[in-house]
Amino acid sequence: ELYSVPIGGGTVTKLNGTLVPGGRVQSFKISPDSRIVVYIASQDTVSEDLYSSGIDSDDDGSYDEEDNCPCTYNPEQDDYDGDGSGDACDGKPDNRNWVSIYGSIVYEGNPLCAMVLANGQYMFTCGDSLGLWDLDVPLDTNEEVTLYAFCAGMSPYKTVLSPRQALCYDIVVTSAYSNSAEMNIDYQTEPGTTNPEWIRLWGTVTYDDQDLCAIVLANGQYMFSCKNDLGTFDLEVPLDNNSEITLYVFCGGMAPYKSVFTP
């Protein structure tokens, strides 16, 4: 018998799909979307059918690699706007420029409290939604989704996906290496200008006197210190219930930064 398991851990699924005609199980391989381990069946003629997982997670009659809502039961496979996201799981089924994407974020099989960001839309996978994310996002000019995930103690995660790949996508993060270089974060605060109850927080992100492109996150507000703002950030943020600000900075190749302070 053959089984599959999501990369990073998850539900083990029996592979009930039929082997290609005349084929036999030859080896295992990671699926193109890096979500599952599947088998390869050998045959005389190579074709797209050579690669088949035979997994139907929602039992709607369509294998996951073909299902336009792989985690939502939709046997009709309706897709009114033709964006690759089926109507049953598309938050904007009549708008081709927006898609609904969802999935999980884990480390060594454990769900994480993290920030998930995709094409300008974001949410936190904490509390009752621990390890789970669900977003309606606009497609970029290439009709793709750039997906980020940031979590304290973990390396920043980034991948570029097609709308189809972003459906029911599992993010598997890796731990930040203990010997990762540490960023230098300089910041200042003053009363906010647009909201007197908020605080203006601004500063720089550098390493070895070089400006860094990073994401700066403080009490739910964020920006990237990139392009025209390379190495700098300027945010207005609310205070938390303890009248404090929790500042995070994430940059690829660098140790994550965290500071909790009272302005």
Side-chain angles (χ1 to χ4, degrees), residues 18-72:
T18 304
L19 293 177
V20 292
R24 63 184 179 81
V25 175
Q26 178 174 301
S27 62
F28 288 87
K29 185 177 180 181
I30 297 175
S31 63
D33 57 10
S34 298
R35 290 182 52 237
I36 55 177
V37 176
V38 300
Y39 66 85
I40 295 178
S42 66
Q43 59 176 18
D44 294 335
T45 303
V46 176
S47 71
E48 291 183 0
D49 290 336
L50 182 67
Y51 197 98
S52 176
S53 68
I55 298 175
D56 182 7
S57 297
D58 55 10
D59 295 322
D60 63 3
S62 296
Y63 288 156
D64 287 1
E65 61 262 35
E66 301 170 349
D67 198 336
N68 59 19
C69 286
C71 295
T72 303

Side-chain angles (χ1 to χ4, degrees), residues 95-176:
N95 189 335
R96 181 179 174 81
N97 295 321
W98 284 71
V99 295
S100 296
I101 60 176
Y102 48 92
S104 65
I105 177 168
V106 299
Y107 172 65
E108 295 185 343
N110 298 309
L112 294 178
C113 175
M115 177 189 184
V116 176
L117 170 67
N119 291 11
Q121 310 301 304
Y122 74 94
M123 69 168 289
F124 292 90
T125 63
C126 308
D128 293 338
S129 300
L130 183 64
L132 300 175
W133 56 273
D134 187 345
L135 293 167
D136 291 334
V137 305
L139 297 179
D140 64 19
T141 54
N142 295 319
E143 295 191 348
E144 294 178 324
V145 176
T146 300
L147 180 65
Y148 296 90
F150 306 96
C151 180
M154 301 293 163
S155 296
Y157 181 94
K158 176 185 177 183
T159 188
V160 179
L161 304 167
S162 69
R164 172 66 187 80
Q165 291 173 320
L167 294 174
C168 202
Y169 188 84
D170 297 320
I171 300 171
V172 180
V173 297
T174 58
S175 177

